[in-house]
């Protein structure tokens, strides 16, 4: 934000407690009205606008109104959190692919409809965005489709912020561990063998071997 | 590179024609020897080090030698190229997930062994890194596993550089179009319905309707 020019007008449209959150349609209209008034409009978003960021919708809307749009890529949560925890999302001979899913159910319910059997691939790292509420149905579904119950996993609340909290667990224990740690949104979930490559995984396993009743919730840094 | 301090010693270890390319093991040893000499070592890479970047291997090697490693995330090719072409990798109600694959065959041959039937999901955007040589076996395999032959796709040579060249085509035509455009590595391939949301897709379709014999290779910007 230090780079913002003095003459710029700043308008907050994000979702923080205490602020009235604007709908996507209101954001579209705001962008359009400023652009039509001749302004250079910067829509600043966290993460990458084209990965679960609704940047495509804003781009689409504005282009249909004849507004020229340029998209600057960003660091998506998966990359930021992987770097923070030292998890190589694709590690030679461990994972040949990485897949970013949305945990939002298509019908707004608790069933992650998008999870076909094809998501349960032991050679693919799964990263679930916004998946806290659908995790209780996702985890058993993945195991029913063949993902080993002892697949390493981690849930990360407010990743890459000073308030980051992480819960490392085997897939079969993840739902319970996340519940006892009381994680809240936004939480990103990473499931796959690569999670065990994090230096923090070893620490969490020591906790396990000591048979503490606590979850593996740890403060980052 | 403008941010590099005057006292820093710069050492090129990348892969550009004319330079002797170092092996991954040589890079490991270089990083270690400088770190052991007490230097702060910055290993600068293009893209994101933990997505097909072998950053995990370097991190792993150094940590085993007791060297403290911090990973700074980067913009992976998929995000950079998606932004450049205006392709929302996950677009509401078009793609519920995005998957990054490596096109490198596990055994070094031309068969992309990693492509199980589970990669052929019409609701998932596929991004293939380093997939030029295995594309001729990947494309039919995806179609055999149920991905519609008219799925939009794009191959991008040297994406986000001034030399960027793009080939837009339906999946069934992609191999031929890429061949006639003579694309070379590095080329990134994006396959999925979201590709048609790019403003450049419409342009390429017009070419199609004019029934030109040319490929859709276009210079970017």
């Amino acid at each position: 934000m230090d780079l913002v020019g003095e003459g710029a007008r700043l308008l907050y449209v994000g979702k923080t407690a205490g602020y009235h959150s604007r709908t996507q349609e209101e954001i579209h209209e705001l962008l359009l009205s400023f652009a039509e008034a001749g302004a250079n409009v910067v829509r600043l978003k966290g993460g990458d606008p084209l990965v679960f960021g609704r940047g495509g919708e804003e781009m689409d809307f504005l282009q249909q109104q004849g507004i020229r749009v340029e998209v600057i890529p960003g660091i998506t949560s998966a990359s930021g959190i992987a770097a923070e925890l030292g998890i190589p999302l694709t590690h030679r001979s461990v994972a040949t692919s990485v897949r970013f899913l949305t945990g939002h159910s298509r019908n707004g319910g608790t069933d992650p409809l998008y999870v076909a059997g094809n998501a349960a691939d032991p050679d693919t790292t799964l990263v679930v965005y916004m998946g806290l509420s659908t995790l209780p149905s996702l985890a058993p579904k993945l195991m029913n489709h063949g993902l080993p119950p002892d697949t390493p996993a981690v849930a990360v609340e407010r990743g890459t912020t000073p308030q980051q909290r992480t819960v490392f667990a085997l897939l079969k224990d993840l739902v319970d561990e996340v519940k006892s740690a009381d994680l809240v949104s936004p939480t990103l979930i990473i499931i796959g063998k690569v999670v065990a490559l994090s230096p923090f995984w070893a620490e969490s396993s020591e906790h396990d071997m000591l048979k503490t009743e606590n979850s593996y919730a740890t403060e980052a840094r």
Side-chain angles (χ1 to χ4, degrees), chain A residues 42-207:
Chain A
V42 175
R43 164 76 164 115
L44 188 62
K45 297 172 81 94
D48 187 82
L50 300 181
V51 175
F52 303 123
R54 307 192 69 166
E57 290 165 68
E58 297 176 14
M59 186 183 77
D60 193 36
F61 172 80
L62 292 168
Q63 279 168 345
Q64 284 184 21
Q65 312 290 326
I67 308 293
R68 195 175 149 272
V69 178
E70 184 181 6
V71 181
I72 311 292
I75 307 283
T76 190
S77 313
S79 285
I81 289 171
E84 183 75 25
L85 300 183
I87 297 173
L89 294 173
T90 60
H91 195 73
R92 228 172 153 79
S93 80
V94 179
T96 52
S97 97
V98 59
R99 185 168 178 180
F100 303 163
L101 299 166
T102 169
H104 273 181
S105 172
R106 219 174 276 181
N107 57 7
T110 55
D111 182 35
L113 288 180
Y114 61 85
V115 182
N118 71 20
D121 175 358
D123 294 328
T124 292
T125 305
L126 273 189
V127 182
V128 189
Y129 285 63
M130 305 161 287
L132 203 55
S133 63
T134 50
L135 181 63
S137 49
L138 171 64
K141 203 163 177 180
L142 289 173
M143 290 184 281
N144 288 343
H145 280 94
L147 203 59
D150 63 351
T151 302
V154 63
V156 187
E157 178 189 295
R158 286 175 289 195
T160 74
T161 73
Q163 292 81 35
Q164 174 177 301
R165 293 200 304 148
T166 59
V167 173
F168 284 93
L170 300 179
L171 178 56
K172 65 182 167 64
D173 303 321
L174 186 62
V175 172
D176 288 345
E177 296 290 345
V178 163
K179 204 170 288 174
S180 52
D182 249 332
L183 292 195
V184 298
S185 292
T187 285
L188 187 101
I189 298 158
I190 307 180
I191 301 169
K193 289 177 286 185
V194 295
V195 173
L197 299 173
S198 164
F200 302 107
W201 175 260
E203 290 175 23
S204 70
S205 299
E206 283 166 18
H207 291 191

